[in-house]
Amino acid sequence: MVEISTSILSVKKGKESKTFFALEAAKTDYFHIDVMDGKFVEKDTYQTMIEYASYIRRISNAPLDVHLMVQDIKQAVDDFCAVQPNIITFHLEACKDEEEVWKTIEYIKQNNCKVGISVKPNTNIEEIYKYLPYIHMCLVMTVEPGKGGQTYLSEMTQKVKTLKEYIDNNQIEIDIEVDGGINLRTAPEVKQAGANILVAGTAILNAVDYKVIIDELKCPIGDVSI
Ligand code: DX5
Ligand code: ZN
């Protein structure tokens, strides 16, 4: 089954609460919280995302899908565990060595939270294979992390396919999430490639009706006539 995680990064100022209520009513499967620290990526959304996530936690039962684009992962795990996320995803590239990756996986689990690892477009997918049996999700970035509204990098389709083949061949139970430039035009190919959680920000927030766009993004491959 395909699920939709709505990125609230580009929510319009002053429209936050209205938007969050509408997304809850439209039954987004997750709220995707993009945490940026101004170091791992240029932008800094740290405090805003703490505020948004705490607010959403109060108005919705939908799970929070926290995407950490930060250098200091441990501090961010401490800060964001307060809003009881369903899953916290960190970047492989933010870890200095393998030991830090293992420690981070363990630390997030100790906080009763699922664990995801994300890879940037230039990172080889093979680099993540050894961790897959120990985590819940692999997030394949389909744009350079850092901002919303970018264009899907078409070479990422093959990366998702390679990952999907690997997990199937090795019978690993894990979600594959894609993030960046996902819309009605790009959704069919990522689903076909094997992604089962689609992050979408701009495509959903700019749509007239959140329920319609979420259903369309989810719908079985081949059902959309665009
Ligand atoms: C990019 C973020 C994404 C992004 C998605 O660094 O991780 O979650 O906001 O936004 P769209 O759907 O606009 O590409
Ligand atoms: Zn994201």
Side-chain angles (χ1 to χ4, degrees):
M1 198 198 30
V2 170
E3 294 184 303
I4 304 298
S5 188
T6 306
S7 164
I8 54 161
L9 179 66
S10 309
V11 64
K12 292 206 175 56
K13 294 271 164 286
K15 294 255 162 71
E16 291 94 339
S17 108
K18 204 176 157 227
T19 305
F20 300 155
F21 272 102
L23 287 168
E24 155 73 19
K27 298 206 177 345
T28 183
D29 295 294
Y30 299 87
F31 282 91
H32 182 84
I33 312 292
D34 283 309
V35 183
M36 305 181 187
D37 63 353
K39 292 179 199 131
F40 184 73
V41 291
E42 230 176 276
K43 254 180 138 178
D44 186 347
T45 65
Y46 205 94
Q47 288 309 322
T48 311
M49 288 301 149
I50 290 183
E51 278 170 40
Y52 287 179
S54 325
Y55 184 77
I56 292 167
R57 184 39 63 249
R58 292 202 299 275
I59 65 148
S60 171
N61 284 328
L64 299 181
D65 164 30
V66 172
H67 176 193
L68 298 180
M69 286 162 274
V70 304
Q71 210 65 260
D72 189 347
I73 303 168
K74 191 168 179 292
Q75 182 62 53
V77 171
D78 290 344
D79 291 335
F80 280 85
C81 274
V83 295
Q84 295 171 295
N86 179 270
I87 181 155
I88 294 184
T89 298
F90 63 95
H91 268 268
L92 189 64
E93 302 86 359
C95 296
K96 62 176 183 312
D97 53 24
E98 226 183 89
E99 196 190 339
E100 192 181 344
V101 180
W102 289 118
K103 280 190 174 158
T104 308
I105 293 172
E106 214 33 59
Y107 190 65
I108 296 174
K109 285 185 181 171
Q110 279 165 15
N111 280 277
N112 296 320
C113 193
K114 289 191 188 177
V115 185
I117 301 183
S118 181
V119 283
K120 296 209 276 185
N122 287 333
T123 302
N124 287 331
I125 198 65
E126 290 77 14
E127 288 187 34
I128 209 167
Y129 286 174
K130 60 165 95 62
Y131 307 110
L132 294 177
Y134 308 95
I135 62 174
H136 303 88
M137 185 173 86
C138 177
L139 165 51
V140 177
M141 285 307 297
T142 45
V143 299
E144 274 306 323
K147 55 177 190 287
Q150 303 182 70
T151 305
Y152 177 82
L153 297 167
S154 55
E155 317 89 84
M156 294 304 112
T157 306
Q158 185 51 50
K159 194 173 186 176
V160 174
K161 270 189 201 157
T162 307
L163 174 63
K164 173 70 175 156
E165 271 167 32
Y166 180 83
I167 67 169
D168 284 351
N169 289 340
N170 291 279
Q171 295 170 330
I172 300 169
E173 279 280 322
I174 191 166
D175 289 318
I176 301 179
E177 183 173 63
V178 285
D179 183 8
I182 304 299
N183 53 37
L184 290 179
R185 202 174 41 79
T186 54
E189 74 178 82
V190 286
K191 288 188 282 189
Q192 185 95 59
N196 69 308
I197 305 180
L198 273 49
V199 175
T202 317
I204 295 177
L205 297 180
N206 285 347
V208 187
D209 187 324
Y210 295 159
K211 173 103 181 65
V212 171
I213 180 83
I214 287 172
D215 288 347
E216 284 177 345
L217 286 167
K218 267 193 200 187
C219 84
I221 303 150
D223 267 18
V224 186
S225 45
I226 293 276

